[in-house]
Amino acid sequence: MSSIVTLLYVSVSLFLYQSQSTWSLESRLEEEIVGAMARELLETAREPEFFKWVRGIRRKIHEYPELGFEEHRTSQLIRSELDSMGIEYTWPVAKTGVVASIGSGGKPFFALRADMDALPLQELVDWEHRSKIDGKMHACGHDSHVAMLLGAAKLLHAKRDKLKGTVKLVFQPGEEGYAGAYHVLQTGVLDDINAIFGLHVYPSFPTGVIASRPGPVLAGSGLFTATIQGKGGHAATPHKARDSILAATSAVVVLQQIVSRETDPLEARVVTVGFIEGGQTWNVIPETVKFGGTYRSLSSQGLYETKQRIKEVIEMQAAVHQCKAVVDFMEEKPLPHPVTMNDEELYKHAKKVSEIMLGESNMQVLPVTMGAEDFSFYTQRFPAAMFVVGTKNMSLKSDQHLHSPRFFIDEEALPIGAALHSAVAVSYLDSHGVEDH
């Protein structure tokens, strides 16, 4: 009996060893294939002519920034470049957006996304290609995102006959507070995709470093405005008025207690009032005051609860001071944006590609922040992953934070982004094409 057990043990051990060895060999072969492909894409993207072209696109867009759903010039540039490459696309998508397709035209479908819009900021960086439009600036790197995705278009188009599926390139309008991703989804142009990948420039990491994390990576975010209606009067006779300024400032103070007194200290939430408008002179109590801000959480429940409490606090504080309040959460945009959740499997895939292409030391963990992204709407519909590519270079002073009027990037990150987009897409189609055909 013992000899039979021993024989069985040896047989099972041998089977497991052979299976593990086969798997290990297949894994190494796959890594070698992906590595060769990724390095080839990166080498091509770093060639002087390619780099000059993609950098030129970024600079053209940077000089003429456009706000959400007004990206007509940017959209035209994108379409002209796609036309010159012979790449088919759908336009308009959500007013100014463009969605291009490269590959077999069949399953699986993998999407790459770049946002297009700028911010209402006056650029304070003094350089040759600074914004030519007063009060508007690409201070969040969306000009770079478009350039990197067009770079990926060129790299992928060169391999179009070898793609084991279809890559959709999503040039999305209106990310900065306009929920452009939601409106793109509403058109149905992405109904057939299996997964989506996004890449954002990030000045906290050195140029060429890639970073991300599985699970929640950015907060869900909403906006609110409140109008306090009182009764105007002379400052010398406040008892005859209903002081809207007092009601508004009381509400602003009490709103801070939603996080400090009502929220579990181990749970991340934010309530910030960003503006207050009321009154025009020293000795008049104004009829109305308006204020507004943002609320954020890393959970859907947290967003819902915070939104409810904001409404209750403002209305009750107004009532305490015998005023009335109207609170608007701008739900038609729609708001709030959901939490940005990276799919674990797609994260692992893009992480592995990044490590193979750039080295394990250049793939780092992205800290969770309370910033927000409308990419979150995609994460609710499909397996999705948002990664960042570092642009910090102290010699160029490209360490200023996103949304700063002094924001600047190291353009050496552009070919890295283009190559990473392409490598993640190609390897995804290679690994998923068999099961879908």
Side-chain angles (χ1 to χ4, degrees), residues 297-315:
S297 174
L298 288 173
S299 73
S300 298
Q301 184 66 22
L303 280 175
Y304 174 78
E305 292 174 357
T306 305
K307 177 182 174 182
Q308 292 300 110
R309 287 297 289 140
I310 287 171
K311 179 175 169 47
E312 291 169 1
V313 165
I314 294 173
E315 290 178 345

Side-chain angles (χ1 to χ4, degrees), residues 25-299:
L25 178 60
E26 289 175 351
S27 179
R28 287 199 302 272
L29 287 172
E30 182 182 339
E31 285 191 18
E32 289 176 5
I33 293 170
V34 172
M37 175 269 295
R39 285 188 288 273
E40 178 195 348
L41 289 168
L42 184 57
E43 288 171 6
T44 301
R46 280 175 164 166
E47 289 176 357
E49 186 176 349
F50 189 103
F51 176 64
K52 183 179 179 181
W53 168 74
V54 77
R55 182 183 63 186
I57 289 172
R58 184 254 165 174
R59 291 178 174 182
K60 286 177 186 176
I61 298 172
H62 190 88
E63 289 179 354
Y64 293 95
E66 298 168 302
L67 303 183
F69 297 118
E70 299 174 4
E71 309 96 329
H72 302 289
R73 185 187 185 109
T74 305
S75 181
Q76 180 59 61
L77 183 152
I78 291 166
R79 299 195 310 273
S80 295
E81 291 295 338
L82 293 172
D83 285 336
S84 70
M85 290 184 258
I87 297 174
E88 295 183 356
Y89 56 83
T90 300
W91 170 83
V93 175
K95 295 186 180 179
T96 53
V98 181
V99 176
S101 296
I102 303 173
S104 69
K107 296 181 180 180
F109 290 87
F110 187 77
L112 300 171
R113 175 267 203 168
D115 37 16
M116 301 157 55
D117 55 327
L119 286 159
L121 285 177
Q122 183 66 44
E123 182 167 7
L124 298 181
V125 182
D126 187 15
W127 68 303
E128 183 182 355
H129 299 283
R130 67 182 298 169
S131 171
K132 298 182 185 297
I133 310 298
D134 286 343
K136 297 179 185 180
M137 177 193 175
H138 272 291
C140 198
H142 298 187
D143 51 344
S144 305
H145 301 167
V146 172
M148 290 189 295
L149 193 53
L150 281 172
K154 179 168 280 194
L155 294 171
L156 291 167
H157 189 60
K159 293 181 174 293
R160 61 191 179 279
D161 295 331
K162 298 179 181 179
L163 295 179
K164 297 178 181 178
T166 306
V167 181
K168 288 196 171 185
L169 310 175
V170 184
F171 297 92
Q172 178 211 301
E175 187 276 327
E176 297 290 356
Y178 298 93
Y182 170 85
H183 294 288
V184 169
L185 288 170
Q186 291 301 106
T187 69
V189 73
L190 299 182
D191 284 354
D192 54 2
I193 72 165
N194 299 92
I196 187 168
F197 176 77
L199 190 60
H200 203 297
V201 293
Y202 210 66
S204 299
F205 291 100
T207 301
V209 168
I210 306 298
S212 189
R213 68 186 304 123
V217 62
L218 291 167
S221 171
L223 301 174
F224 67 92
T225 60
T227 302
I228 308 296
Q229 179 70 47
K231 180 182 177 183
H234 198 289
T237 55
H239 59 292
K240 295 181 179 180
R242 297 289 179 264
D243 195 337
S244 57
I245 285 185
L246 182 58
T249 53
S250 295
V252 170
V253 171
V254 177
L255 283 173
Q256 304 312 305
Q257 297 172 22
I258 294 174
V259 174
S260 67
R261 299 291 88 187
E262 299 179 16
T263 302
D264 185 334
L266 300 180
E267 181 183 345
R269 293 195 201 179
V270 170
V271 177
T272 295
V273 174
F275 77 89
I276 184 165
E277 301 169 350
Q280 295 179 324
T281 191
W282 297 273
N283 60 350
V284 175
I285 295 171
E287 193 87 5
T288 62
V289 172
K290 186 176 182 180
F291 66 91
T294 182
Y295 62 100
R296 299 173 183 229
S297 174
L298 288 173
S299 73

Side-chain angles (χ1 to χ4, degrees), residues 320-343:
V320 165
H321 298 283
Q322 302 180 70
C323 297
K324 295 181 179 180
V326 176
V327 185
D328 180 13
F329 289 99
M330 292 163 273
E331 292 170 312
E332 73 282 354
K333 279 186 179 286
L335 286 170
H337 290 0
V339 179
T340 300
M341 297 284 293
N342 274 352
D343 176 76

